[in-house]
């Protein structure tokens, strides 16, 4: 079997979409055999979340999700398998460490659905140390947006601008950037450095810079509104 | 000319090479796990290497419009080092992964008992995981090595039709072809095979089941030797369909036996201009 996958229509974002809705989206888009495979994989994961022998059965399914359902659906499928298996931080860490880049990305997408506290932050930090832009973007999903410390978050935003990750990928960008004068300074310095080198400043930089502006005096105290 | 390089060690190559390869027509590569020049001393350095073959390297390749797959194995040289052999126990979890399209490179280097064990074990892993195997034939004492390799394959559960015997040359091609295996030829600047000898071999033995690779690595080698062979075949009077069979359809058919070949490139979100590799990172 050789896969020639057509480019997919924009899928539901696997980190920002509730698992039930992701499932509905996949059921509507997967072909019959892939849909049946997914149904079995989710049932198995729900019934046998623990390890049987050297590897749990849902981890096998996680590894083969791309070739079973197509790379365009693999992220969502993997998030659903992790969710069905109720993977905790230890399991997510193991899967991330033993995973391909695609599997690691799926773990990052699954964090907001599975980890209520800050325990999995080390995975986000690991992803931000890579130069794989797909991992960097996934690290800045809802979990990273909620949990990253200010310093790390600002560097991550800057890294997106450096590496060409669209800032639309950053969850809650407007809320976190709002009134962040340190981020504004870093963006300004970066723009200056680029200008001094005669190189173009990324368009997105000015968008983020505008978001850092403090609110007009009469709106002070209103937090969390996206402008 | 569309080209599938069925054996190339991109980890050792630069982005200039990716660019030149794409320009020459290379759209798909398979990177088999091999040794790194400097011997490794623990399984952990193997797993970091395998992770790179399933993480960073396909990402790099995709930015140049090239679909990257890999083959995973303990290579024959390091199969002789007891500090490395525990990696055999870690292979099963890698052999499950998407984009792992074969077990490889396995085979013989010095034809030692340790190499016998590793080869036998990994042929079984290939059979167990529904994967074909890329089998390196030794550079020293090659005809003897080929015979011993074929004996090992025949004694295994992996059908010879799911084996690609690599680094063949004039002295080994006939016996390999008679075995029913796929036939791999590595074209190098100085050693192994060159373009003209490759043309002569194809004239004598045909195009069926023949795959040509650059096997480019950290040594003197050339990642666009596949294209050079395609040009040499055309110059020698072969038609475009013959070239397409050798440089595209045969490798697609062989690695397609895995059921895991994805010929499309999923381009990362990053724009070319903004991309961290083209820019040299931070």
């Amino acid at each position: 079997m050789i896969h020639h996958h057509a480019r997919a229509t924009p899928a539901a974002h696997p980190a920002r979409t509730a698992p039930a809705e992701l499932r509905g989206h996949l059921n509507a888009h997967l072909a019959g055999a892939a849909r049946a495979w997914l149904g079995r994989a989710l049932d198995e994961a729900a019934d046998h979340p623990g390890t049987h022998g050297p590897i749990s059965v849902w981890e096998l399914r996680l590894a083969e999700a791309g070739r079973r359902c197509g790379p365009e659906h693999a992220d969502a499928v993997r998030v659903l398998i992790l969710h069905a298996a109720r993977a905790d931080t230890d399991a997510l860490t193991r899967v991330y460490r033993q995973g391909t880049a695609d599997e690691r990305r799926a773990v990052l997408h699954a964090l907001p659905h599975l980890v209520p506290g800050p325990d999995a932050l080390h995975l986000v930090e690991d992803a931000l140390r890579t130069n794989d832009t797909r991992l960097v973007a996934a690290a800045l999903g809802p979990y990273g947006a909620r949990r990253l410390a200010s310093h790390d978050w600002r560097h991550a935003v800057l890294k997106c601008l450096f590496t060409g990750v669209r800032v639309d990928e950053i969850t809650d960008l407007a809320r976190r950037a709002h009134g962040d004068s340190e981020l504004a300074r870093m963006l300004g310095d970066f723009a200056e450095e680029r200008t001094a080198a005669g190189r173009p400043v990324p368009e997105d930089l000015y968008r983020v810079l505008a978001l850092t502006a403090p609110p007009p005096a009469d709106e002070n105290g209103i937090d969390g509104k996206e402008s | 000319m569309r080209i599938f390089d069925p054996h190339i060690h991109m980890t050792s190559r630069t982005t200039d090479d990716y660019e030149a390869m794409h320009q020459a027509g290379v759209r798909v590569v398979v990177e088999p796990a091999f040794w790194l020049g400097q011997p490794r001393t623990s399984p952990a350095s193997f797993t970091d290497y395998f992770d790179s073959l399933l993480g960073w390297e396909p990402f790099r390749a995709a930015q140049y419009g090239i679909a990257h797959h890999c083959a995973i194995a303990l290579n024959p040289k390091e199969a002789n080092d007891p500090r490395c052999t525990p990696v055999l126990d870690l292979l099963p979890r890698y052999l499950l992964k998407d984009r792992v399209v074969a077990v490889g490179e396995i085979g013989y280097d010095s034809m030692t008992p340790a190499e016998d064990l590793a080869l036998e074990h990994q042929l079984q892993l290939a059979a167990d995981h529904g994967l074909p195997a890329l089998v390196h034939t030794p550079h020293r004492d090659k005809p003897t090595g080929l015979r011993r390799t074929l004996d090992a394959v025949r004694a295994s559960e992996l059908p010879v039709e799911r084996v690609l015997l690599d680094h063949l040359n004039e002295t080994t091609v006939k016996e390999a072809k008679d075995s029913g295996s796929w036939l791999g030829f590595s074209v190098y600047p100085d050693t192994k095979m060159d373009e003209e000898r490759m043309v002569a071999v194809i004239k004598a033995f045909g195009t069926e089941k023949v795959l040509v690779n650059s096997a480019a690595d950290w040594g003197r080698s050339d990642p666009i030797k596949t294209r050079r062979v395609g040009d040499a075949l055309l110059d020698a009077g072969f038609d475009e369909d013959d070239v397409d069979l050798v440089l595209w359809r045969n490798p697609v058919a062989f690695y397609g036996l895995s059921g895991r070949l994805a010929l499309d490139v999923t381009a990362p979100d990053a724009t070319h201009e903004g991309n961290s590799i083209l820019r040299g990172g931070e």
Side-chain angles (χ1 to χ4, degrees), chain B residues 27-273:
Chain B
R27 294 293 179 273
V28 181
V29 296
V30 171
E31 175 157 10
F34 203 50
W35 72 305
L36 296 179
Q38 177 69 32
R40 281 170 283 218
T41 59
S42 82
S45 49
F46 279 88
T47 57
D48 284 341
Y49 173 61
F50 297 156
D51 289 343
S52 179
L53 296 183
L54 289 162
W56 179 238
E57 207 53 47
F59 173 77
R60 241 162 55 98
Q63 302 197 18
Y64 295 88
I66 293 177
H68 182 286
H69 300 77
C70 67
I72 295 283
L74 170 63
N75 65 78
K77 277 183 209 274
E78 289 172 314
N80 291 301
D81 188 333
R83 294 172 300 177
C84 297
T85 48
V87 78
L88 289 170
D89 297 332
L90 303 177
L91 294 178
R93 71 175 163 89
Y94 283 98
L95 299 180
L96 301 167
K97 305 291 190 189
D98 285 338
R99 309 190 80 81
V100 175
V101 293
V103 171
E105 300 178 48
I106 52 177
Y108 286 115
D109 179 53
S110 301
M111 292 180 265
T112 64
E115 292 173 25
D116 284 327
L117 285 178
L119 176 57
E120 184 185 322
H121 182 81
Q122 294 184 99
L123 287 169
Q124 184 64 45
L125 285 177
D128 292 346
H129 289 82
L131 291 170
L134 171 59
V135 182
H136 159 111
T137 56
H139 303 307
R140 301 178 303 277
D141 201 8
K142 198 181 255 309
T144 307
L146 179 82
R147 258 161 252 141
R148 188 149 159 183
T149 303
L150 283 171
D151 287 346
V153 170
R154 287 181 184 125
S156 79
E157 282 185 29
L158 190 70
V160 71
E161 294 77 19
R162 294 176 70 83
V163 169
L164 168 55
L165 293 173
D166 209 357
H167 314 315
L168 298 175
N169 62 20
E170 293 86 347
T171 67
T172 50
V173 55
K174 179 164 189 321
E175 196 168 348
K177 186 177 171 70
D178 290 346
S179 78
S181 76
W182 295 77
L183 312 170
F185 297 88
S186 302
V187 179
Y188 260 36
D190 300 322
T191 57
K192 298 189 172 79
M193 290 292 286
D194 66 27
E195 295 90 314
E196 297 313 315
R197 289 166 52 210
M198 194 64 239
V199 169
V201 163
I202 291 178
K203 275 185 179 163
F205 292 91
T207 51
E208 192 192 351
K209 286 190 155 182
V210 167
L211 288 76
V212 171
N213 61 72
S214 72
D217 57 12
W218 29 254
R220 181 159 154 72
S221 50
D222 178 352
I224 55 174
K225 277 294 186 192
T226 46
R227 173 62 194 239
R228 301 275 178 259
V229 169
D231 291 339
L233 285 168
L234 292 175
D235 290 346
F238 287 92
D239 64 23
E240 286 182 7
D241 190 66
D242 296 322
V243 173
D244 191 65
L245 181 64
V246 170
L247 293 184
W248 186 266
R249 301 199 307 274
N250 282 344
V252 166
F254 174 71
Y255 288 114
L257 293 170
S258 69
R260 305 186 197 176
L261 204 54
L263 300 174
D264 296 347
V265 180
T266 309
D269 282 343
T271 61
H272 239 210
E273 170 60 19

Side-chain angles (χ1 to χ4, degrees), chain A:
Chain A
M1 182 174 55
I2 295 152
H3 309 289
H4 286 276
H5 296 288
R7 284 278 66 83
T9 48
H13 193 285
R16 298 178 202 153
T17 309
E21 201 182 321
L22 274 182
R23 178 81 193 271
H25 183 90
L26 285 170
N27 282 342
H29 287 84
L30 287 177
R35 195 165 62 239
W37 179 88
L38 174 63
R40 284 194 305 274
L42 296 180
D43 289 346
E44 277 175 341
D47 293 346
H48 305 287
T51 301
H52 292 261
I55 189 167
S56 55
V57 67
W58 59 268
E59 288 179 71
L60 302 177
R61 302 297 164 253
L62 211 60
E64 60 182 335
R67 58 189 184 269
R68 296 292 183 177
C69 299
E72 69 275 32
H73 298 302
D75 281 6
V77 166
R78 289 187 169 118
V79 166
L80 287 178
I81 293 172
L82 290 166
H83 185 259
R86 303 179 291 284
D88 61 12
T89 301
D90 286 347
L92 290 166
T93 301
R94 180 179 71 246
V95 168
Y96 181 94
R97 290 196 176 142
Q98 298 185 352
T100 63
D102 290 344
E103 291 167 51
R104 292 178 186 205
R105 189 173 63 244
V107 168
L108 295 167
H109 287 322
L111 295 179
H113 305 305
L114 288 168
V115 184
D119 298 356
L121 191 57
H122 61 285
L123 300 179
V124 172
E125 290 164 348
D126 182 272
L128 289 172
R129 283 193 294 273
T130 72
N131 261 18
D132 183 330
T133 50
R134 295 166 304 181
L135 288 173
V136 171
L140 289 169
Y143 189 85
R146 198 179 312 135
R147 298 291 171 192
L148 275 170
S150 295
H151 177 85
D152 295 342
W153 184 80
R154 290 182 191 120
H155 271 273
V157 172
L158 207 55
K159 186 161 183 168
C160 287
L161 294 169
F162 263 89
T163 58
V165 174
R166 291 178 304 115
V167 297
D168 292 330
E169 301 271 345
I170 306 173
T171 300
D172 274 347
L173 175 65
R175 183 183 62 79
R176 284 207 67 161
H178 184 73
D180 188 338
S181 55
E182 177 63 2
L183 178 61
R185 180 197 64 72
M186 290 164 73
L187 294 170
D189 286 354
F190 176 39
E192 200 175 310
E193 184 187 334
R194 277 288 163 90
T195 307
R199 295 173 61 191
V201 177
E203 275 301 307
D204 270 0
L205 185 144
Y206 296 109
R207 285 181 54 204
V208 182
L209 194 57
L211 294 172
T212 63
D218 60 348
E219 285 181 23
N220 264 337
I222 299 176
D223 192 28
K225 293 275 185 285
E226 301 209 357
S227 49

